[in-house]
Amino acid sequence: MPAMSEMAATSPAGRDAEWWRTAVIYQVYPRSFADANGDGIGDIRGITEGLGALSELGVDAIWLSPFYRSPQNDAGYDVADYCDVDPIFGTLADVDELIARAHALGLRVIVDLVPNHSSSEHRWFQEALASAPGSVERGRYIFRDGRGSCGELPPNNWQSVFGGAAWTRILEPNGTPGQWYLHLFDTTQPDFDWTSAWVQDRFIEILLFWLDRGVDGFRVDVAHGLDKDQGLPDYDATAASAFTPGPYWGRPGVHEIYREWRALLDTYSDGRMLCAEAWVSPLESLAEWVRPDQMHQAFNFEYLVTRWHPTALRDVIRDSLSAFGAVGAPSTWVLSNHDVVRLVTRLGLPTDTDLSHGIGRTTAVSLDLTVGLRRARAATLLTLALPGSAYVYQGEELGLPEVIDIPDGARQDPTWNRTNGERFGRDGCRVPLPWTASDPAFGFNTTGAAWLPQPAGWRDLARDVQRTDSTSTLRLYQEALRLRRVHSLGGGELTWHDVSDSVLSFRVGGLRVIVNFSQTALELPPGRVVVSSAPLEAGALPADSAAWLIDEEAVA
Ligand code: GLC
Ligand code: CA
């Protein structure tokens, strides 16, 4: 009979209400996961059919990027109806089936909630446009008169994250140029006014709608942006960066909102959770999002942006555990998502490469994908050993690189058009997944259609090829996830062992984790290697590789 701990480990949904503290959560990007009806865009039925592969991989939960009704100007992050499914993805019944199937497999399901803005096609925004300045309908969004003698200038200097002004002037119902509305993202993504009790109430209803459909939690989009300085002062552009607090990022008013949401989730006793997408720094500030009465998790982007260097990584790991630990929250560990250049490519580039706006055809980069993959595999063993909860972005487990040579005309990220092609944006990490080497669209569907073209070289990275190759990246993830459970690493205590300019090493859950950052092989200490990111060379750990050892010293 297996030990109790192993039995519990095989049934994530059966675990306690605090499952999220140690969970490995797989991000599904619905457009690109699997396409059941063959129109070239992934869909809910495709995801349901792929759940078996995710269960086999060994993750505990999935997070689905938005599948709600949407004109798809920002790949679904422009929501026109929060309680319905976009026809390109399927129906509510399809989602019910997905949730049921996932739960039957022991996988929790987290959905994306986009509260900072809606689509301009949302009925609420259309009602605001049709109503007069100063009306309650306008008060749900952020409408203001312009500056200048005829209101011809935007209310302030705020810039859209996607480029260009964050304000757009409307035509009033009588056809004359009138007020401006705020959109921190695309023109078609108007920001809500979160001081409005009406807006707050609508989102409580939306949370309830999905909670009662059985979702296990929410990833909260732009969780740091809901509270705007009501005086709308100009932004100090010289200080502007995703991490810089300003008149709209990381302001204190957001916390009241999340307290209310938390109280609502706590009325369900079976472990519903909230995870903040909050680009705030330092980690002590981010930890304010996960105080006991607020969210359960926040994405640790400081970890994601840390360069491949032992002391830099040691510092961010130590600081994360201490900042989140101070408020009783687990840290999360994130290596990639649908907004950033894929890990293998990132780690194959010189560390000073500017990746903030994506890379493409004309970016001058010196890229070494062999080094990138080697380091990505080592980074994976490092990450999956850390105490807390880890996120895996679809395709990471296949070692997919960023697609750099997407033809200009195929690009879809609004950033690309808003900046006239100056910023490539995020399409390169969103290309449909390869499932099988010898089928059309590599098994993404059966027709060969794909909303972004897949590189021919992805044949070799297809899931079916990797499943039967014990040296593949897929098998590495699978084995690491299995061992992570067996040794309860997510709930383990980390103690540092050795950190130098070339080595990072610590103990956790009875294992010793060693990462070799040097360019020469490293002699390993006594102990049994249970997994390594590259084959050992005469018993030594090769450059840019990592290993987990049963720590004989700790066992003794
Ligand atoms: C978040 C999402 C990103 C989206 C933006 C606007 O950063 O992750 O994909 O474009 O919010 O909703
Ligand atoms: Ca489809």
Side-chain angles (χ1 to χ4, degrees):
M1 206 179 117
M4 257 328 261
S5 60
E6 268 179 72
M7 274 171 56
T10 57
S11 172
R15 285 185 302 176
D16 66 345
E18 302 222 312
W19 62 276
W20 43 270
R21 286 190 176 274
T22 59
V24 177
I25 302 173
Y26 182 97
Q27 179 186 0
V28 173
Y29 195 66
R31 297 179 79 79
S32 303
F33 186 75
D35 173 22
N37 72 353
D39 65 354
I41 302 176
D43 43 46
I44 303 290
R45 276 184 38 229
I47 300 168
T48 306
E49 286 166 17
L51 287 174
L54 301 184
S55 162
E56 179 182 281
L57 177 61
V59 297
D60 302 300
I62 57 171
W63 145 38
L64 302 162
S65 278
F67 49 74
Y68 313 108
R69 202 174 269 278
S70 160
Q72 304 291 326
N73 289 327
D74 185 21
Y77 283 94
D78 48 324
V79 180
D81 185 341
Y82 290 89
C83 298
D84 201 3
V85 177
D86 197 279
I88 64 168
F89 294 127
T91 62
L92 276 172
D94 292 338
V95 173
D96 290 342
E97 198 183 319
L98 183 158
I99 295 172
R101 176 86 186 118
H103 284 170
L105 287 168
L107 296 167
R108 302 262 187 174
V109 180
I110 293 165
V111 295
D112 219 304
L113 184 74
V114 189
N116 181 67
H117 45 264
S118 71
S119 160
S120 54
E121 288 184 21
H122 198 292
R123 180 167 51 84
W124 302 334
F125 189 73
Q126 290 299 317
E127 287 169 3
L129 287 180
S131 304
S135 60
V136 289
E137 288 83 0
R138 290 251 168 123
R140 296 162 183 168
Y141 292 88
I142 304 180
F143 281 88
R144 291 292 184 281
D145 294 334
R147 290 176 303 172
S149 51
C150 308
E152 73 279 12
L153 299 171
N156 66 23
N157 73 348
W158 296 3
Q159 293 289 299
S160 155
V161 174
F162 294 157
W167 295 94
T168 292
R169 195 173 193 189
I170 64 160
L171 290 180
E172 296 294 346
N174 67 9
T176 59
Q179 288 197 298
W180 298 71
Y181 68 89
L182 177 71
H183 51 87
L184 292 181
F185 293 88
D186 190 50
T187 314
T188 60
Q189 291 169 297
D191 284 51
F192 284 112
D193 185 340
W194 271 89
T195 63
S196 155
W198 188 90
V199 169
Q200 294 168 19
D201 290 349
R202 295 293 77 71
F203 273 87
I204 294 292
E205 289 168 1
I206 294 163
L207 287 168
L208 280 169
F209 178 87
W210 289 105
L211 288 167
D212 291 339
R213 276 205 120 76
V215 306
D216 297 287
F218 303 89
R219 174 266 188 191
V220 181
D221 189 63
V222 197
H224 58 313
L226 276 50
D227 178 22
K228 276 88 178 176
D229 185 330
Q230 292 297 300
L232 304 183
D234 273 351
Y235 195 35
D236 177 1
T238 55
S241 98
F243 278 141
T244 316
Y248 43 85
W249 296 142
R251 290 174 48 79
V254 294
H255 299 295
E256 263 326 299
I257 301 166
Y258 303 135
R259 284 199 178 96
E260 203 182 334
W261 293 7
R262 176 62 178 260
L264 179 72
L265 264 70
D266 281 348
T267 63
Y268 298 76
S269 54
D270 51 357
R272 313 293 177 109
M273 61 86 97
L274 296 163
C275 175
E277 188 221 18
W279 290 85
V280 280
S281 180
L283 284 156
E284 286 72 28
S285 305
L286 183 59
E288 293 176 5
W289 266 253
V290 288
R291 284 174 283 182
D293 60 347
Q294 296 183 45
M295 300 215 188
H296 302 73
Q297 295 185 339
F299 290 129
N300 187 344
F301 293 127
E302 295 254 5
Y303 182 67
L304 185 153
V305 299
T306 300
R307 71 202 161 95
W308 183 245
H309 190 273
T311 53
L313 286 162
R314 186 266 324 269
D315 290 353
V316 71
I317 293 166
R318 185 195 54 204
D319 296 350
S320 304
L321 292 173
S322 114
F324 291 113
V327 294
S331 184
T332 60
W333 307 106
V334 186
L335 288 172
S336 47
N337 64 31
H338 66 293
D339 291 328
V340 299
V341 172
R342 277 196 179 273
L343 181 67
V344 167
T345 302
R346 234 165 52 223
L347 294 180
L349 289 166
T351 42
D352 57 358
T353 314
D354 178 12
L355 298 173
S356 46
H357 301 302
I359 54 176
R361 198 172 42 76
T362 55
T363 321
V365 290
S366 72
L367 173 61
D368 186 335
L369 281 178
T370 308
V371 170
L373 180 60
R374 215 161 55 211
R375 291 184 177 169
R377 290 170 59 111
T380 297
L381 282 196
L382 168 62
T383 302
L384 293 179
L386 296 172
S389 171
Y391 279 79
V392 175
Y393 173 50
Q394 70 177 35
E396 202 185 299
E397 80 280 21
L398 302 175
L400 297 186
E402 182 84 357
V403 182
I404 297 176
D405 56 358
I406 296 176
D408 292 356
R411 291 203 173 265
Q412 312 224 5
D413 186 339
T415 298
W416 169 255
N417 277 328
R418 288 186 70 87
T419 61
N420 295 318
E422 217 170 89
R423 300 186 192 168
F424 285 100
R426 304 159 294 177
D427 292 318
C429 66
R430 298 175 173 182
V431 172
L433 293 186
W435 289 83
T436 51
S438 43
D439 291 310
F442 303 128
F444 170 60
N445 54 28
T446 55
T447 60
W451 72 280
L452 286 174
Q454 300 163 297
W458 281 18
R459 178 172 289 107
D460 302 334
L461 296 171
R463 192 174 302 264
D464 68 340
V465 175
Q466 298 204 33
R467 275 184 85 209
T468 54
D469 173 1
S470 64
T471 67
S472 70
T473 302
L474 179 67
R475 293 282 290 272
L476 177 69
Y477 268 82
Q478 198 177 5
E479 182 60 3
L481 288 168
R482 190 186 70 78
L483 289 165
R484 180 183 155 93
R485 280 198 189 164
V486 169
H487 295 278
S488 305
L489 300 185
E493 185 91 18
L494 181 151
T495 46
W496 294 107
H497 195 264
D498 203 5
V499 185
S500 68
D501 271 349
S502 56
V503 178
L504 178 73
S505 161
F506 56 85
R507 290 203 173 89
V508 64
L511 292 187
R512 176 132 170 225
V513 176
I514 302 180
V515 191
N516 178 11
F517 291 80
S518 77
Q519 291 316 299
T520 51
L522 177 78
E523 284 308 318
L524 288 171
R528 182 163 57 85
V529 174
V530 290
V531 63
S532 63
S533 66
L536 301 187
E537 290 168 358
L541 184 65
D544 284 324
S545 306
W548 296 357
L549 282 75
I550 298 272
D551 192 333
E552 308 291 358
E553 229 176 283
V555 171

